[in-house]
């Protein structure tokens, strides 16, 4: 993946983080998801006073993408304003791998950027097809 593409995703994930609604955890997350057709879908975490209704930034971006016809993904960037790098939760890994197994995962935080991939983060996923 091009460095300029990676930088663009990091920038967009941090932009999305500004819209995070996280008054309960005070842990703001932003996400930028690149689809195979070149579009970038962003998301932020959205919490709720009924805590279990909270949705992660990654699934907001993913569901926006699916609902707009993008079903194949190249890369995802998850950003937080913390010292510790973020990590995509298990539910989001499972939700994303349903659509694409080979996705570059970029984690961005105050200390910098680190890269992984979805297959490494979720080996032996549950898939019906
Ligand atoms: N969160 C995300 O948005 N993405 C993750 O991968 C992990 C957790 C959110 C959910 C909740 O609003 C806050 O972070 C604390 O768990």
């Amino acid at each position: 993946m091009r460095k300029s593409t990676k930088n663009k995703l990091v920038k967009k994930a941090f932009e999305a983080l500004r819209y995070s609604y996280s008054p309960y955890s005070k842990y703001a997350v932003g996400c930028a998801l690149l689809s195979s057709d070149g579009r970038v879908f962003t998301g932020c975490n959205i919490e709720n006073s009924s805590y279990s209704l909270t949705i992660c930034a990654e699934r907001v971006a993913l569901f926006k993408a699916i609902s707009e016809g993008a079903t194949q993904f190249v890369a995802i960037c998850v950003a937080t304003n913390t010292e510790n790098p973020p990590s995509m939760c298990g539910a989001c890994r499972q939700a994303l791998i349903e659509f694409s197994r080979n996705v570059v995962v970029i984690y961005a935080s105050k200390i910098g950027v680190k890269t992984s991939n979805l297959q490494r983060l979720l080996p032996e996923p549950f898939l019906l097809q």
Side-chain angles (χ1 to χ4, degrees):
M1 158 177 293
R2 279 203 200 137
K3 208 169 175 189
S4 58
T5 308
K6 196 168 162 177
N7 290 343
K8 178 180 156 186
L9 289 178
V10 171
K11 187 167 176 272
K12 283 195 172 284
F14 276 116
E15 281 170 9
L17 180 148
R18 287 197 237 130
Y19 301 116
S20 166
Y21 178 73
S22 45
Y24 306 107
S25 72
K26 301 194 171 23
Y27 186 79
V29 186
C31 176
L33 177 64
L34 175 63
S35 61
S36 302
D37 60 12
R39 287 185 280 171
V40 177
F41 298 88
T42 58
C44 62
N45 57 330
I46 305 169
E47 300 186 343
N48 192 270
S49 50
S50 176
Y51 293 169
S52 64
L53 293 179
T54 292
I55 184 163
C56 295
E58 296 92 320
R59 270 175 294 150
V60 171
L62 176 64
F63 296 163
K64 280 170 71 178
I66 300 301
S67 67
E68 292 182 30
T71 54
Q72 295 296 307
F73 302 101
V74 175
I76 187 167
C77 177
V78 186
T80 54
N81 269 331
T82 55
E83 302 288 339
N84 288 337
S87 178
M88 194 174 4
C89 81
C92 291
R93 294 177 197 195
Q94 175 68 30
L96 182 57
I97 214 162
E98 175 92 14
F99 296 94
S100 291
R101 303 187 72 161
N102 192 18
V103 181
V104 175
V105 178
I106 304 157
Y107 291 132
S109 66
K110 276 185 176 173
I111 56 155
V113 174
K114 72 174 196 181
T115 304
S116 185
N117 65 73
L118 190 56
Q119 261 168 333
R120 207 174 98 202
L121 295 174
L122 189 62
E124 299 179 32
F126 175 73
L127 296 167
L128 286 179
Q129 46 200 344

